[in-house]
Amino acid sequence: MNKVFLSTAVFLLLMITASCNGESEENSGVTEPAVTNSSQIDLFTVEVEQVADRIFLSGRIRAEHRIELFPEAQGKVMERTKPFSEGISYEEGEVIIQLDDTETKMQLQSSRSKFKTLVSALMADIKLDHPEMLSKYQEWYHSLAADKQVSRVPDFGENMQRFLESKGVYELYYSIKSAEERLEKFTIHAPFSGVLSAAKAEPDQVVGPQFHLGTLVDPSRFILTASVQTGEAEWIQPGLTMEIKNEDQTETYSAKVARVNPSVEPSSQQVLIYLEVMGNNLREGMYLEGEIESDNKRELARIPKTALLRAGGVLVKKEGILVENPIQIVNLERNHLWVEGLKNGDEIVEDTSEPVAGRIIN
């Protein structure tokens, strides 16, 4: 009896073991789902707007009133109370540079003295031949002096004029007036109120007509020169106003289109626009930029520059997959683009610095 029971128990144990091994083998053939860690992709939601066509203008400003200083005479630079240095201001008409004119001035005084001697020598002849003009002639004679500009020859009438011409009066008179004009070139006056932006002459330095003394600029008025496409220049007219900013976008200035070049630059095939810029803290050479709006409007989307692919398109999320979508750039900003080719509500990859095309978005 015990042997029969023992045999039955062993048989049942073997059956249970075989059954467990079979289930284990079946379970070992089942593959568990793989768990992947995907990186986060930031999406930008597109908003389409009715935007006026804009023209981006940029460039460096230049003083509208500026003059390069070159002497017309040769001489030594005289030292003055106000130094001739960068940043020094001058009022209109104020002396900027004085050259040594001692020798030229003495020669001129000698010529004036000779001229007065000649006029005096003719007094007796005029008293005999033209007594009616004597008092007028004497008055002119007394106005002559070696240390002041020679006064204009009065109108003595045709007969007396011929007489004076035969004696060389007019020839010497015009010679002296020419010397007086030459003497004035030793003194350089400021043609307008301004500041020296460059100064290359020093006291006691001998300079001549080919020597660049410096540059005087008017710090109150500046011109920005920008270039646009020929089609864009058609509706830009003088008098059009706009706002422009500095490179850091921290200062805003007022600008007005002063003139438009009627010609096209052969190299770039663009038209030059000249804008008059006004405002405080402006300095020659500053980089400024701004936009002009037209009356034409179109549907555009403003997207980050980082969303633009090298090929010129963007990555749009469509049915959970990123697909490359072509766009047309209409306008540029510092960090954004105005583009056509996107619909309102489109989701695009905000930063395409990593290759993510075709990736499935969960």
Side-chain angles (χ1 to χ4, degrees), residues 56-59 224 242-249 251 287-291 333-334:
F56 181 78
L57 301 175
S58 64
L224 171 66
M242 61 179 293
E243 287 187 350
I244 55 178
K245 297 184 178 181
N246 59 357
E247 194 170 4
D248 298 329
Q249 305 291 301
E251 297 286 343
Y287 178 85
L288 300 177
E289 58 186 23
E291 292 178 330
E333 292 182 358
R334 179 173 295 272

Side-chain angles (χ1 to χ4, degrees), residues 28-206:
S28 63
V30 177
T31 303
E32 293 289 344
V35 179
T36 59
N37 294 324
S38 60
S39 59
Q40 180 69 31
I41 299 176
D42 294 328
L43 298 178
F44 178 84
T45 303
V46 174
E47 294 183 6
V48 177
E49 306 175 33
Q50 289 284 337
V51 180
D53 286 340
R54 298 179 180 182
I55 297 179
F56 181 78
L57 301 175
S58 64
R60 300 192 183 278
I61 59 174
R62 182 181 178 88
E64 183 177 14
H65 292 159
R66 61 179 290 125
I67 184 171
E68 306 293 337
L69 302 174
F70 288 88
E72 296 184 75
Q74 182 170 335
K76 182 176 66 175
V77 178
M78 305 296 291
E79 187 170 0
R80 297 182 55 80
T81 305
K82 179 180 287 190
F84 184 77
S85 304
E86 290 89 346
I88 299 297
S89 301
Y90 292 90
E91 297 297 326
E92 182 177 356
E94 187 178 357
V95 175
I96 301 178
I97 286 283
Q98 176 64 59
L99 302 181
D100 186 7
D101 59 357
T102 304
E103 182 179 355
T104 304
K105 186 179 294 184
M106 293 177 65
Q107 291 176 351
L108 179 60
Q109 289 176 345
S110 175
S111 298
R112 288 171 179 164
S113 180
K114 291 179 180 178
F115 183 70
K116 187 170 185 179
T117 300
L118 174 62
V119 172
S120 176
L122 300 176
M123 193 84 68
D125 293 335
I126 293 175
K127 184 176 182 180
L128 293 175
D129 299 335
H130 307 279
E132 72 282 2
M133 293 294 178
L134 181 60
S135 60
K136 189 175 183 180
Y137 188 83
Q138 289 177 334
E139 182 180 356
W140 176 55
Y141 166 77
H142 291 301
S143 69
L144 302 177
D147 57 351
K148 65 179 183 180
Q149 289 190 348
V150 62
S151 55
R152 188 175 65 88
V153 180
D155 183 10
F156 293 115
E158 185 177 355
N159 291 333
M160 187 169 171
Q161 180 177 343
R162 285 199 298 267
F163 171 74
L164 295 177
E165 286 178 347
S166 65
K167 298 299 182 179
V169 171
Y170 283 96
E171 180 182 1
L172 186 54
Y173 167 77
Y174 288 115
S175 176
I176 294 175
K177 295 303 291 184
S178 176
E180 289 176 347
E181 289 290 330
R182 187 164 56 254
L183 179 64
E184 292 182 358
K185 295 178 180 179
F186 284 81
T187 305
I188 300 178
H189 299 268
F192 52 82
S193 298
V195 181
L196 283 176
S197 65
K200 301 180 180 180
E202 298 180 357
D204 297 331
Q205 182 178 5
V206 177

Side-chain angles (χ1 to χ4, degrees), residues 195-324:
V195 181
L196 283 176
S197 65
K200 301 180 180 180
E202 298 180 357
D204 297 331
Q205 182 178 5
V206 177
V207 298
Q210 302 300 321
F211 187 89
H212 182 209
L213 298 172
T215 305
L216 182 71
V217 300
D218 181 358
S220 62
R221 300 181 65 181
F222 293 92
I223 287 291
L224 171 66
T225 303
S227 56
V228 299
Q229 301 294 333
T230 54
E232 297 172 336
E234 294 178 357
W235 53 271
I236 299 180
Q237 300 297 327
L240 187 66
T241 59
M242 61 179 293
E243 287 187 350
I244 55 178
K245 297 184 178 181
N246 59 357
E247 194 170 4
D248 298 329
Q249 305 291 301
T250 57
E251 297 286 343
T252 302
Y253 307 98
S254 174
K256 180 176 68 175
V257 177
R259 55 190 185 274
V260 179
N261 197 317
S263 303
V264 176
E265 284 193 316
S267 58
S268 63
Q269 289 297 298
Q270 292 188 323
V271 178
L272 292 179
I273 308 295
Y274 305 93
L275 298 100
E276 184 177 309
V277 184
M278 294 157 286
N280 298 324
N281 302 321
L282 288 171
R283 296 181 182 274
E284 192 174 43
M286 284 179 59
Y287 178 85
L288 300 177
E289 58 186 23
E291 292 178 330
I292 298 179
E293 291 189 357
S294 71
D295 297 331
N296 301 326
K297 292 187 177 181
R298 62 171 105 180
E299 292 187 348
L300 301 178
R302 185 173 182 264
I303 65 172
K305 276 187 177 180
T306 54
L308 185 66
L309 295 168
R310 290 181 179 272
V314 295
L315 294 176
V316 181
K317 177 185 175 183
K318 292 184 178 180
E319 298 179 357
I321 299 178
L322 295 179
V323 180
E324 186 173 341

